[in-house]
């Protein structure tokens, strides 16, 4: 039959035959499944649910959607951003020592340093004790070399307070500039010994005591005695809300992030609150944990821990260059015993000293190897971590803190001319750890 058709008609006939075949096949399938319609309908919801679950799993697998453990992932204001900083493995230091050298990235707090925790804790404590009332225009006073003042100024704005910061006039310029941009009143003073009544901490305390009811420092007006405004001296060195901030947040975070697998904690101390809070919390859970103080040159804490004598070689007559700790490092090192540091008694196993040259070289090494731009106290901590890693040997886990970034150290610790004037060598590239003795 097909032989009698033209080529065109053959194609038409074949297409028609196929169409009839598929139509009949579809009809047969529908008729065959009619009897199971009720069963299909009853399982329809379950099958859809399984398909959705399978699709969801596939999306999660390939797109890696974040999973929220809490009902909300939205922070409440600036305070909600403080803490829960990530823990990072410093690859270059870990590979070089055979240890896991981990660093808690405290520079990622909203105010740029670990002092955000302290500022929040001190203000919360003052509000709880009815010393401060949010939004009433009270003023927070503090003596600081920078970071705590910046954190307090930030939180003061968030809570409706004013900030009055007293600081030495030789700290990195960008710190006072940042304080002013945050709306703080900045009072700079000559760096002098703590026994001087005009030392920056002593002066901040006096300014708070002089704070008048009319909101002015230095005057006590009886006309506004009914005002709720007050002058609050935060007192980071002696206020135990500092220690408590790290005992209740930093310590627990480190334990959680490492799952308790820590052999040593290594960090410097200024007020001593961070070291004391972290050490006291972790030592209760990890009895074999070793805790090390890292101290910059010119500080007396090294000898206090090692020999129970608060003394630095720069105390020798004619040796001291400045009235504070003789170091280019800012934020750690001190020549007196604070109440916060005293909380670490019995929890520090040993101390090591880091030179300014080692700190400078470590900062340049990390920016070259890791792209990690850290501040001076963070550099001191990292030198200490490498020292302890070498002492303990490969296979151990050492945790330290990256207190702040290099952004607030540009005019001093990251200023080549300034460092050269201090007799330090500034190398173009530091590509190994031979500088650590």
């Amino acid at each position: 039959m097909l032989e009698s058709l033209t080529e065109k008609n053959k194609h038409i006939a074949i297409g028609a035959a196929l169409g009839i075949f598929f139509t009949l096949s579809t009809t047969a399938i529908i008729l065959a499944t009619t009897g199971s319609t009720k069963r299909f309908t009853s399982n329809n919801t379950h099958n859809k649910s399984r398909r959705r679950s399978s699709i969801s799993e596939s999306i999660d697998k390939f797109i890696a959607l974040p999973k929220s453990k809490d009902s909300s992932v939205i922070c409440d204001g600036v305070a909600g951003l403080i803490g829960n900083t990530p823990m990072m493995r410093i690859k270059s230091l870990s590979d070089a020592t055979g240890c896991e050298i981990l660093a808690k990235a405290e520079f990622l707090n909203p105010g740029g340093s670990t002092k955000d925790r302290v500022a929040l804790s001190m203000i919360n404590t003052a509000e709880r004790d009815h010393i401060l009332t949010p939004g009433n225009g009270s003023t927070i006073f503090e003596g600081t070399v920078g970071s705590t003042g910046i954190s307090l100024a930030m939180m003061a704005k968030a809570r409706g307070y004013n900030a009055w910061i007293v600081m030495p006039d030789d700290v990195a310029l960008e710190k006072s500039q940042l304080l002013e941009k945050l709306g703080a009143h900045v009072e700079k003073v000559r760096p002098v010994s703590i026994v001087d009544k005009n030392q920056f901490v002593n002066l901040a305390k006096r300014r708070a005591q002089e704070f008048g009811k009319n909101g002015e420092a230095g005057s006590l007006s009886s006309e506004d005695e009914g005002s709720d405004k007050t002058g609050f001296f935060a007192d980071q060195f002696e206020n135990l809300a500092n220690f408590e901030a790290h005992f209740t947040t930093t310590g627990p975070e480190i334990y959680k992030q490492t799952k308790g697998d820590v052999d040593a904690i290594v960090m410097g101390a200024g007020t001593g609150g961070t070291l004391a809070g972290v050490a006291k919390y972790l030592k209760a859970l990890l009895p074999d944990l070793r805790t090390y103080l890292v101290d910059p040159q010119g500080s007396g804490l090294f000898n206090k821990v090692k020999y129970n004598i608060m003394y630095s070689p720069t105390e020798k007559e004619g040796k001291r260059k400045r009235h504070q700790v003789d170091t280019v490092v800012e934020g750690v090192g001190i020549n007196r015993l604070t109440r916060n540091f005293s909380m670490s008694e019995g929890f520090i196993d040993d101390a090591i000293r880091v030179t300014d040259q080692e700190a400078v070289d470590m900062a340049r090494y990390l920016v070259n190897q890791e792209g990690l731009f850290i501040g001076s106290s963070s550099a001191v901590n990292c030198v200490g971590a490498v020292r302890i890693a070498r002492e303990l040997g490969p296979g151990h886990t050492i945790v330290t803190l990256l207190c702040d970034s290099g952004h607030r150290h540009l005019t001093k610790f990251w200023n080549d001319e300034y460092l050269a004037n201090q007799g330090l060598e500034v190398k173009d590239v530091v590509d190994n750890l031979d500088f650590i003795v």
Side-chain angles (χ1 to χ4, degrees):
M1 175 179 171
L2 289 174
E3 293 175 358
S4 62
L5 297 174
T6 65
E7 191 66 25
K8 180 178 180 181
N9 289 336
K10 282 182 183 180
H11 292 156
I12 293 173
I14 292 171
L18 289 172
I20 293 169
F21 171 77
F22 285 120
T23 300
L24 291 173
S25 298
T26 303
T27 303
I29 292 170
I30 292 172
L31 291 173
T33 57
T34 300
S36 60
T37 300
K38 291 182 179 180
R39 177 174 56 83
F40 174 79
T41 302
S42 65
N43 291 330
N44 189 35
T45 301
H46 176 68
N47 291 337
K48 285 182 178 179
S49 176
R50 292 185 62 184
R51 286 197 299 272
R52 289 194 192 102
S53 177
S54 177
I55 292 170
S56 178
E57 290 173 1
S58 297
I59 291 175
D60 287 351
K61 179 178 179 181
F62 292 108
I63 304 183
L65 294 176
K67 293 179 176 62
S68 173
K69 293 182 180 179
D70 304 320
S71 58
S72 174
V73 293
I74 299 174
C75 296
D76 186 13
V78 168
L81 296 171
I82 296 174
N84 292 309
T85 54
M87 181 79 75
M88 69 171 288
R89 177 180 184 267
I90 304 182
K91 184 179 184 302
S92 59
L93 302 186
S94 299
D95 292 348
T97 59
C99 290
E100 288 296 287
I101 295 185
L102 309 179
K104 196 155 173 56
E106 289 294 282
F107 62 86
L108 293 178
N109 279 301
S113 80
T114 190
K115 295 298 185 179
D116 285 5
R117 299 177 188 264
V118 178
L120 179 61
S121 180
M122 292 192 297
I123 291 175
N124 282 345
T125 300
E127 290 176 350
R128 182 196 66 199
D129 295 342
H130 306 293
I131 298 171
L132 288 174
T133 302
N136 76 342
S138 291
T139 297
I140 299 170
F141 294 84
E142 184 59 298
T144 170
V145 295
S147 289
T148 303
I150 291 167
S151 298
L152 282 170
M154 176 187 74
M155 284 308 305
K157 280 296 183 184
R159 294 285 177 86
Y161 304 117
N162 300 310
W164 187 302
I165 305 301
V166 184
M167 63 195 309
D169 61 11
D170 64 345
V171 300
L173 178 62
E174 51 270 28
K175 293 182 179 181
S176 61
Q177 292 174 330
L178 182 52
L179 280 164
E180 290 169 349
K181 295 302 181 184
L182 285 167
H185 176 89
V186 179
E187 184 175 2
K188 296 182 180 182
V189 297
R190 185 172 61 89
V192 294
S193 169
I194 188 65
V195 299
D196 193 307
K197 67 178 182 178
N198 289 321
Q199 193 264 1
F200 66 99
V201 175
N202 296 335
L203 183 58
K205 182 178 181 178
R206 191 165 76 248
R207 290 284 186 252
Q209 293 170 339
E210 295 171 347
F211 185 76
K213 295 296 184 179
N214 61 359
E216 296 292 336
S219 64
L220 292 170
S221 172
S222 60
E223 297 177 2
D224 296 323
E225 289 181 356
S227 171
D228 291 329
K229 291 182 181 180
T230 188
F232 170 62
F233 175 47
D235 200 10
Q236 60 168 325
F237 291 92
E238 310 301 328
N239 189 339
L240 290 184
N242 180 345
F243 158 81
E244 290 166 3
H246 298 291
F247 183 81
T248 58
T249 68
T250 317
E253 287 172 28
I254 291 173
Y255 185 84
K256 181 180 179 181
Q257 290 168 323
T258 61
K259 298 181 173 61
D261 183 14
V262 186
D263 295 298
I265 296 290
V266 181
M267 63 183 72
T271 65
T274 309
L275 179 61
V278 169
K280 198 164 189 175
Y281 178 86
L282 292 177
K283 284 270 194 175
L285 299 172
L286 306 170
D288 295 329
L289 176 73
R290 299 278 295 174
T291 303
Y292 297 87
L293 164 76
V294 189
D295 213 28
Q297 64 184 55
S299 172
L301 293 179
F302 171 82
N303 283 318
K304 177 61 180 175
V305 171
K306 296 282 282 187
Y307 312 111
N308 199 29
I309 298 174
M310 183 67 77
Y311 173 78
S312 168
T314 56
E315 298 291 337
K316 293 179 182 179
E317 186 175 353
K319 296 291 185 181
R320 178 171 289 282
K321 296 179 181 178
R322 49 195 303 267
H323 288 284
Q324 291 175 268
V325 178
D326 280 327
T327 177
V328 299
V329 174
E330 294 182 352
V332 292
I334 196 170
N335 281 309
R336 70 181 189 276
L337 192 61
T338 68
R339 191 179 178 199
N340 277 288
F341 188 83
S342 295
M343 296 297 292
S344 68
E345 186 175 352
F347 294 94
I348 301 178
D349 295 293
D350 205 351
I352 55 179
R353 174 162 283 154
V354 173
T355 67
D356 282 354
Q357 188 64 61
E358 288 175 318
V360 168
D361 287 347
M362 175 59 79
R364 273 68 181 170
Y365 174 83
L366 288 176
V367 81
N368 181 52
Q369 298 292 318
E370 304 273 352
L372 191 57
F373 188 55
I374 58 174
S376 56
S377 59
S378 301
V380 167
N381 285 348
C382 289
V383 172
V386 171
R387 286 257 194 89
I388 298 307
R390 289 174 176 175
E391 179 181 311
L392 297 181
H396 292 87
T397 299
I398 293 96
V399 173
T400 191
L401 261 61
L402 301 179
C403 311
D404 64 5
S405 76
H407 296 104
R408 58 184 61 171
H409 298 267
L410 295 174
T411 56
K412 290 191 68 176
F413 187 70
W414 280 97
N415 185 303
D416 293 355
E417 183 179 354
Y418 169 81
L419 294 177
N421 289 336
Q422 300 302 309
L424 297 169
E425 181 184 0
V426 181
K427 304 164 187 173
D428 292 335
V429 176
V430 181
D431 56 8
N432 61 65
L433 297 174
D434 293 344
F435 59 86
I436 299 178
V437 297

